[in-house]
């Protein structure tokens, strides 16, 4: 599927959020900042939502995307979102 992100793509999204400390903008802006094209917006959204589902990323009290206080390792194949897209 076109919107299915591979592991390397998801890692780049994770590293981007980590480098920012906290992401407060939309997925389109994130795509632009990552140097992606319009087709990558869905992949970014799926990546972020899957990492939120797995607890690798969290939304803080203001709804901003950030990393949890304790580092979380997760098996991407355990994401219900990603498994539905395969």
């Amino acid at each position: 599927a076109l919107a299915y992100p591979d592991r390397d793509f998801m890692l780049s999204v994770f590293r981007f959020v980590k480098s920012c400390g906290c992401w407060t903008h939309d997925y389109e802006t994130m795509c632009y900042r990552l140097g992606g094209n319009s087709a990558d917006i869905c992949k970014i959204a799926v990546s972020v939502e899957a990492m939120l589902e797995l607890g690798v990323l969290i939304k803080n009290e203001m709804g901003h995307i950030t990393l949890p206080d304790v580092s979380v390792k997760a098996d991407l194949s355990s994401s219900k979102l990603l498994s539905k897209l395969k």
Side-chain angles (χ1 to χ4, degrees):
L2 290 176
Y4 191 86
D6 63 19
R7 180 178 166 80
D8 290 337
F9 188 90
M10 291 184 72
L11 183 59
S12 68
V13 172
F14 174 82
R15 286 182 175 156
F16 178 77
V17 174
K18 184 177 180 180
S19 73
C20 294
C22 180
W23 186 252
T24 60
H25 305 289
D26 56 27
Y27 296 138
E28 292 87 351
T29 304
M30 184 182 289
C31 184
Y32 173 76
R33 297 263 177 91
L34 284 167
N37 57 46
S38 60
D40 291 331
I41 295 170
C42 287
K43 286 172 56 175
I44 287 171
V46 168
S47 297
V48 170
E49 294 301 324
M51 287 188 276
L52 288 169
E53 173 192 344
L54 296 169
V56 175
L57 296 176
I58 60 170
K59 284 192 177 178
N60 65 18
E61 61 279 348
M62 296 177 67
H64 301 153
I65 299 165
T66 188
L67 276 63
D69 292 334
V70 177
S71 179
V72 175
K73 299 273 184 188
D75 178 11
L76 297 178
S77 65
S78 66
S79 166
K80 292 177 184 176
L81 174 63
L82 293 176
S83 65
K84 286 182 181 180
L85 290 176
K86 271 193 163 180

